[in-house]
Amino acid sequence: MKNILVLGGTGAMGAHLVKILAGRGDKVTVTTRSPRSPSPSIEYIQGNAKETSFLDPLLERRWDTIVDFMVYTTSAFEQRAPKFLEATDQYIFLSSARVYADSSEAISEESPRLLDSSSDEKFLATDEYSLAKARQENFLRHSGSKNWTIIRPYITYSEQRLQLGVLEKEGWLYRALRGRTIVFSEDIAFKLTTLTYGLDVAGAMAELIGEKRALGEAYHIAQREAVSWQDVLDIYLAVLEKHLGKRPKVMLLNLDDFSRCKNAEYQIKYDRLFNRVFDSSKVGELVDVKEFSSLERRLGRCLEEFLEKPVFLPIDWRSEAIKDRFSGEVTGLKEIGHWKQKLKYLIYRFLKY
């Protein structure tokens, strides 16, 4: 039995990982911002794992493994990482496959990263997600320790996370269920991508925990099957047509117009406009990636389960107003809620472009 600390382990991957670890007999402690009921093998500690006053007492204990799902600025990570490495035999750092540069071949763990190959000085001057993760990887590599393992998941989905390009479900599915047009990018729609079920990623991570061969190594964990975003959209539309009794309308915008709807400049430019195909042979030496879920079957099932009891995070009404502007639709103000959000919607729908 291992004593494992999971920081922020309640998302699409973390929730599955915690159950897998507890199910195999490990003692799991999970930090969470919201209160949760414990189980015999899972202890939830409520607090903000980014706050030193909360984190430091946890790191005074010795852990067999620390799994870190938190997102940090590079400066914050450099302050915390030495404490993590000192407090455990294996520190699992959740990086991202977004660190990789564009590639005409299947991406391996040794493929060039954006941080090392980009010539965009404006981009490199930022601590954008893909750059921050790469810099934090570098910090671990230069730490003088080898008790770390870098995990680079790509896009994961679950019963609560259903992405379409750079849009979360709140940016496309909410519209479809309200009878409005799904607004997407024609430039992104036909790029190849890779989506992996969160449970499959969590299962692979669990196999790497306690694995000595994984120390000092980086692994991406991604489905071998690459599809276009249009294929992903078609899976969603088939489920929605059955659920709604009619197929939702779709509008594909050019990139400039779509970028007005969604402010994600670097994520679009340096990821979603790349064809993302992965060579999973490295992690395949330790995990049977051939057993990962079929995208068409599992993604459709995740959407079906979400539709049984749909719960959405807050809606970006600026973005919705602009989408309505392109589609020629209008959202009723009763749907929007707070008067500030109503005002924002009206400004961007009818006045500001």
Side-chain angles (χ1 to χ4, degrees), residues 176 179-183 237 246-251 327 329:
R180 294 190 287 276
T181 301
I182 296 171
V183 179
L237 291 175
K246 62 180 180 179
R247 197 171 182 87
K249 294 177 289 184
V250 177
M251 173 178 283
S327 66
E329 296 162 336

Side-chain angles (χ1 to χ4, degrees), residues 108-245:
S108 74
E109 283 79 358
E110 303 307 315
S111 294
R113 301 179 307 170
L114 287 162
L115 179 64
D116 308 315
S117 59
S118 176
S119 58
D120 185 341
E121 294 299 328
K122 182 180 177 182
F123 172 56
L124 292 171
T126 72
D127 203 32
E128 195 271 341
Y129 184 77
S130 61
L131 298 177
K133 289 296 187 182
R135 290 174 180 135
Q136 291 161 29
E137 289 183 3
N138 287 353
F139 186 86
L140 292 175
R141 292 184 183 279
H142 300 147
S143 66
S145 300
K146 288 292 185 180
N147 61 323
W148 47 263
T149 301
I150 294 169
I151 305 295
R152 296 171 179 157
Y154 191 46
I155 299 169
T156 59
Y157 64 91
S158 71
E159 294 77 7
Q160 294 298 318
R161 190 168 195 199
L162 300 156
Q163 293 175 279
L164 180 64
V166 292
L167 301 176
E168 298 290 344
K169 65 181 185 297
E170 288 74 18
W172 69 271
L173 179 55
Y174 179 83
R175 292 183 62 82
L177 295 183
R178 293 285 180 162
R180 294 190 287 276
T181 301
I182 296 171
V183 179
F184 192 43
S185 162
E186 62 182 359
D187 299 87
I188 298 174
F190 299 100
K191 295 296 182 181
L192 293 177
T193 189
T194 308
L195 280 73
T196 311
Y197 185 37
L199 176 59
D200 292 329
V201 178
M205 289 179 60
E207 292 299 316
L208 296 175
I209 290 176
E211 174 57 65
K212 292 183 178 179
R213 288 176 292 175
L215 297 178
E217 296 289 342
Y219 299 89
H220 55 237
I221 302 175
Q223 173 68 262
R224 298 187 303 166
E225 173 191 6
V227 298
S228 72
W229 279 109
Q230 182 63 52
D231 293 330
V232 174
L233 178 57
D234 288 342
I235 293 171
Y236 290 146
L237 291 175
V239 174
L240 288 171
E241 183 173 11
K242 182 178 179 181
H243 178 76
L244 298 171

